[in-house]
Amino acid sequence: MSFHNSESAADITEMEKARFQSTPAAEIDERDRDLLERQRELEELDGNTKLNWEMIKKLTVCGVAFLNDAYDMFAINIVAMILGFVYYHDAEGSAANTVPKKWDTLIKIAVQVGCLLGQLVMGRLGDKVGRTTVYAASLMIAIITTVASAFSNSMVKGINVFVVLFIWRVLLGFGIGGDYPLTATIVSEYASVHNRGKMISAVFSCQGFGNVMAPIVGIIVTACFKNSIDRDVLYLDYVWRIIIGIGCIPGLATLYWRLTMEDSKRFQLETAKAAAANADEDVLRQKLLAKQQFNESSDYESRLETPPAREPQQPATAPVQIRRAKTFTQYFAEWSHLKVLLGTSIAWFALDVAFYGINLNSSIVIDAIGFAGDIHNDKPSKFIIRNCLGNIIINLLGSVPGYWISVFTIERLGRKKIQLMGFAMLTVLYIVLGFAYHQILDKSIPGFIVLFTLAQLFQNFGPNVTTFVIPGEVFPTRFRSTAHGIAAASGKLGAIVAQGGFMQLKDRGGKNEFINHLLQIFALFMLIGFFVTFWIPESKGKTLEEICDESEEYY
């Protein structure tokens, strides 16, 4: 166990050091020597993690990564709207200018499917191969597939543009998926104990800027083609491709820094420690086997030379305790560890059912408050710009402030308290919105906007930030990236369930008539998230080694 940066733990460390110094050199357990040496190195590491140019550079790279990821994920809201004008402008009746539900779902769910796979695969590789190597690879995948997505087109015979776009966006999601576990892990291992939560949440909060950037780019590009679009709607084919293609620019801007990043000293120490523990154990087994064979041979020879009258009694020797680094399966087979993984995973799953159910379908909210316009009678450019403005307003009212309130309060309130508060408030707000949805809209649109804004606020000043931060702190260094990837993938599974399942019900009984019942379902998921949060430890003010007792990683 690591004992630095905590008053009581420091006393124990001094006792350990005193015992170590008073013990004869021949009797010192090599593992104790290694543990104390590692403690000293980590104390120096935590003492030297003040904000400097290297840290600023890493935070910039990681922050831009999440801005870029959010842009790529949520720009599809605008792109799907534009694709309706491009490919269905000549459809009849209510189907005009609207992408059919099956294709709309397919292109919106694509990145989530890819993310789920990327989080699991890249998360595991981050522990096995190294954080920064896999981190750079995930960005290169994202850049290539973003450009490829922008050139998606229908084949002369065979699959249409929506299927091609789906394929490329699944691969894009795979690259984005790697950013989740690796960004959290890299920042967590570089930051000091006193600002670790603030730094991880600040990096993740750049997602809010990406959410706003997508509709801003949509407005700018549409405005540039406005006259051409009003003459011929097919000029929108340029617009959606440019909006998607711009998503590769932030990644290209930080590619060199990602390629030249090095793994943290903490990860290097942990990797070396685990390798040494396993190697030492193998050597020790060989020595014990050789000793046993030698003793058996000596006993046999002594029996031949000595009369069998008396056989001296051998003094009992204490069994040698062999400590070997636990595997991932062995570590999480223990309930005390498994419940933390389940708590972080189920909480993230529950949150993302509502988070992506609403945010990937923001046009429903914009339409509900009367801001969307008329898709059949308005000019396409006016309709698109108006909806983009609605997206910006929704994000600036609740989402972006919520992110940054979390950043500035997380070290004072703690991760667990913010998550519990957020889930509790969301449960109440979704119950109110769900059971009084039509009444509120009929009587007071400003009242609906206030309640929806509060829901957006407490998503981000709540579990949307903490479900990302906590898995980056509560697991051992050797498993941190893998475990974070599992928790994050659970979240993306929630997003897939929301988009591919629940949101398919929204038009039961008429257009958007089932939304109130979906909000009631979301309230139930928020309640589940609230209760499983109690399985998660509070990590505020503790070093990574204190949160995950090092002795628990060995047997």
Side-chain angles (χ1 to χ4, degrees):
M1 179 175 180
S2 178
F3 303 113
H4 48 283
N5 287 327
S6 133
E7 189 174 334
S8 59
D11 295 337
I12 299 173
T13 302
E14 293 305 317
M15 291 168 59
E16 287 291 315
K17 289 179 180 177
R19 181 181 67 79
F20 176 76
Q21 290 168 357
S22 62
T23 304
E27 298 178 15
I28 295 173
D29 190 323
E30 190 63 31
R31 293 166 305 199
D32 289 339
R33 193 196 305 274
D34 291 343
L35 182 56
L36 286 168
E37 179 61 32
R38 185 167 180 271
Q39 286 171 354
R40 282 193 290 268
E41 289 177 312
L42 288 172
E43 285 168 1
E44 293 176 8
L45 183 63
D46 282 332
N48 291 331
T49 47
K50 295 178 180 177
L51 201 61
N52 52 39
W53 168 241
E54 277 301 310
M55 192 49 145
I56 291 171
K57 187 168 73 173
K58 287 178 175 63
L59 289 174
T60 301
V61 170
C62 294
V64 169
F66 268 93
L67 180 150
N68 202 3
D69 293 346
Y71 178 92
D72 288 335
M73 280 193 285
F74 294 108
I76 197 64
N77 283 335
I78 299 156
V79 169
M81 178 173 53
I82 295 171
L83 287 171
F85 286 102
V86 174
Y87 291 96
Y88 295 94
H89 60 279
D90 54 357
E92 296 181 357
S94 60
N97 301 327
T98 305
V99 175
K101 184 185 291 185
K102 65 176 182 179
W103 300 127
D104 183 73
T105 300
L106 193 72
I107 60 175
K108 286 182 178 178
I109 211 172
V111 166
Q112 313 310 322
V113 172
C115 270
L116 189 154
L117 299 173
Q119 286 159 345
L120 293 173
V121 174
M122 297 298 215
R124 187 59 180 152
L125 290 175
D127 284 331
K128 288 292 187 181
V129 178
R131 318 308 199 201
T132 54
T133 302
V134 181
Y135 198 43
S138 68
L139 177 59
M140 289 188 282
I141 292 170
I143 290 171
I144 292 168
T145 52
T146 297
V147 174
S149 297
F151 287 97
S152 297
N153 218 328
S154 297
M155 296 184 178
V156 176
K157 287 187 178 180
I159 58 179
N160 64 19
V161 65
F162 297 100
V163 177
V164 175
L165 189 57
F166 169 80
I167 293 169
W168 283 120
R169 284 186 66 80
V170 168
L171 296 174
L172 168 62
F174 190 86
I176 291 173
D179 281 348
Y180 278 74
L182 294 165
T183 299
T185 301
I186 288 169
V187 177
S188 176
E189 292 172 357
Y190 271 108
S192 72
V193 65
H194 302 297
N195 62 14
R196 186 179 61 238
K198 183 185 291 186
M199 287 189 175
I200 301 174
S201 56
V203 163
F204 184 71
S205 295
C206 292
Q207 189 181 76
F209 297 136
N211 291 348
V212 175
M213 180 179 161
I216 289 175
V217 170
I219 290 172
I220 293 170
V221 178
T222 304
C224 290
F225 286 86
K226 184 178 182 301
N227 293 332
S228 299
I229 293 167
D230 290 342
R231 287 196 311 271
D232 183 356
V233 73
L234 291 180
Y235 275 95
L236 280 170
D237 196 50
Y238 291 107
V239 174
W240 75 264
R241 296 178 191 280
I242 293 170
I243 290 171
I244 287 180
I246 284 174
C248 73
I249 294 175
L252 286 170
T254 57
L255 178 60
Y256 174 76
W257 281 357
R258 273 224 210 181
L259 291 171
T260 55
M261 284 176 71
E262 294 183 355
D263 284 324
S264 69
K265 181 69 172 173
R266 178 172 268 108
F267 176 68
Q268 294 174 32
L269 286 170
E270 180 59 39
T271 303
K273 183 190 75 169
N278 291 340
D280 289 346
E281 190 270 348
D282 291 336
V283 171
L284 185 56
R285 283 188 189 279
Q286 291 174 4
K287 287 181 179 179
L288 288 173
L289 180 61
K291 185 177 180 179
Q292 183 181 1
Q293 291 172 344
F294 175 78
N295 288 339
E296 288 174 355
S297 175
S298 298
D299 287 346
Y300 176 73
E301 290 175 3
S302 65
R303 287 195 190 98
L304 291 177
E305 296 173 4
T306 308
R310 295 172 58 192
E311 198 165 311
Q313 203 113 35
Q314 293 293 331
T317 57
V320 177
Q321 283 293 101
I322 300 171
R323 186 174 68 170
R324 182 179 177 86
K326 290 179 182 177
T327 63
F328 182 90
T329 305
Q330 289 169 332
Y331 183 82
F332 286 104
E334 299 171 26
W335 172 245
S336 59
H337 303 141
L338 178 61
K339 72 176 182 180
V340 178
L341 182 59
L342 289 175
T344 55
S345 299
I346 296 171
W348 208 333
F349 173 87
L351 167 76
D352 276 5
V353 168
F355 182 81
Y356 284 94
I358 291 172
N359 286 283
L360 282 176
N361 300 278
S362 55
S363 58
I364 295 171
V365 178
I366 295 169
D367 185 49
I369 62 177
F371 202 87
D374 188 336
I375 195 170
H376 302 297
N377 298 316
D378 287 346
K379 289 183 178 180
S381 60
K382 179 184 176 182
F383 182 83
I384 292 165
I385 290 173
R386 189 176 174 86
N387 274 268
C388 287
L389 282 171
N391 270 285
I392 294 169
I393 292 167
I394 286 173
N395 279 288
L396 290 180
L397 280 176
S399 293
V400 174
Y403 280 114
W404 292 96
I405 293 172
S406 288
V407 172
F408 293 112
T409 59
I410 197 165
E411 297 296 358
R412 273 178 286 173
L413 297 178
R415 292 72 159 143
K416 193 170 180 177
K417 188 179 291 185
I418 290 175
Q419 184 157 308
L420 286 169
M421 177 196 64
F423 273 130
M425 290 298 298
L426 287 169
T427 302
V428 172
L429 288 165
Y430 285 142
I431 287 173
V432 173
L433 285 168
F435 285 96
Y437 179 78
H438 295 294
Q439 296 91 319
I440 294 170
L441 279 176
D442 290 342
K443 293 183 179 179
S444 176
I445 287 179
F448 177 85
I449 293 172
V450 169
L451 289 171
F452 181 78
T453 297
L454 287 173
Q456 293 290 90
L457 179 75
F458 283 106
Q459 273 186 342
N460 295 305
F461 177 37
N464 191 40
V465 169
T466 54
T467 51
F468 177 80
V469 173
I470 293 170
E473 300 179 312
V474 296
F475 300 112
T477 301
R478 287 186 299 115
F479 308 134
R480 185 168 295 125
S481 180
T482 302
H484 193 291
I486 291 171
S490 301
K492 287 297 173 282
L493 180 61
I496 292 167
V497 168
Q499 189 63 37
F502 293 136
M503 295 311 294
Q504 300 306 301
L505 306 173
K506 70 183 181 70
D507 293 328
R508 286 187 67 180
K511 184 179 179 182
N512 295 335
E513 285 298 313
F514 202 75
I515 293 295
N516 58 328
H517 298 300
L518 291 178
L519 291 169
Q520 294 164 17
I521 293 170
F522 293 164
L524 177 60
F525 278 97
M526 297 304 98
L527 191 61
I528 292 170
F530 177 84
F531 284 115
V532 298
T533 299
F534 288 103
W535 287 348
I536 302 168
E538 177 56 70
S539 52
K540 181 186 76 169
K542 297 178 183 178
T543 66
L544 297 176
E545 290 69 41
E546 286 170 345
I547 300 164
C548 310
D549 186 350
E550 285 184 339
S551 64
E552 292 292 317
E553 299 175 49
Y554 296 87
Y555 66 88

